[in-house]
Amino acid sequence: MAEPLPQSVLFCCDHNAVRSPMAEGIMKKLYGMETYVQSAGVRNDLEIDGFSIAVCQEIDVELQRHRSRSFDEMEEWGDDLSSFDVVIALSPASQRRALELTRYYSLTVEYWPILDPTGLGESRADRLVSYRQARDQIIGRLQDKWGPGAL
């Protein structure tokens, strides 16, 4: 049975360039504006990944305008982690950082072990397969938790 949608969700991963922006975009597509959704990384030293953009375009999720940001930048810009109902970490490093930053807050930090597709596959076609697997894992986790939504 699907849980009710939270008011706000933060997805996080290592660089905010592959998995967390995909999760943010897909959640917005599935559930519309019912939930405030953002994403961040432990670091933001990379731009949005072109393969992430490509596989999300296949399901009509636009990521081209995404700008990577880190937890530190969120704080600098005035985004308070305590304002989120749930933080969903998509990598072990982001889970550790999220738990460290939220240890004094009353909010849930979940870990979803989503495949890191970067560096997998020799050809463009093989790499796209890996990115689709990560995208589809994210879709599956979202739908298992909050229902089918509208893809």
Side-chain angles (χ1 to χ4, degrees):
M1 174 120 188
E3 295 178 19
L5 282 169
Q7 295 226 328
S8 57
V9 175
L10 175 69
F11 290 100
C12 56
C13 64
D14 295 344
H15 302 277
N16 193 222
V18 178
R19 292 169 285 181
S20 57
M22 284 200 296
E24 176 186 351
I26 292 167
M27 183 157 184
K28 287 175 178 176
K29 171 77 174 173
L30 282 171
Y31 307 109
M33 297 298 166
E34 293 181 57
T35 299
Y36 178 71
V37 183
Q38 289 292 305
S39 64
V42 176
R43 297 171 301 286
N44 76 327
D45 52 346
L46 301 174
E47 290 300 317
I48 183 74
D49 186 285
F51 288 104
S52 293
I53 292 170
V55 300
C56 283
Q57 279 179 333
E58 294 172 352
I59 60 168
D60 200 28
V61 171
E62 191 275 317
L63 296 182
Q64 280 182 290
R65 292 180 295 194
H66 176 79
R67 296 292 165 250
S68 298
R69 65 183 186 158
S70 66
F71 283 115
D72 293 338
E73 285 176 322
M74 282 183 67
E75 195 172 54
E76 288 170 20
W77 298 342
D79 286 335
D80 186 358
L81 282 180
S82 68
S83 66
F84 289 94
D85 295 318
V86 64
V87 176
I88 299 175
L90 306 175
S91 70
S94 65
Q95 179 192 27
R96 283 190 300 277
R97 185 77 171 127
L99 287 169
E100 175 186 308
L101 292 170
T102 63
R103 66 180 173 258
Y104 300 114
Y105 301 138
S106 176
L107 66 107
T108 303
V109 176
E110 293 185 22
Y111 173 57
W112 292 2
I114 302 297
L115 167 79
D116 180 359
T118 58
L120 298 179
E122 298 293 319
S123 68
R124 175 177 168 72
D126 290 342
R127 294 193 71 175
L128 285 169
V129 167
S130 297
Y131 278 75
R132 286 183 191 112
Q133 287 174 333
R135 176 199 67 198
D136 294 346
Q137 284 180 349
I138 291 166
I139 292 169
R141 292 299 297 254
L142 287 167
Q143 291 179 329
D144 286 349
K145 186 155 184 81
W146 293 304
L151 251 185

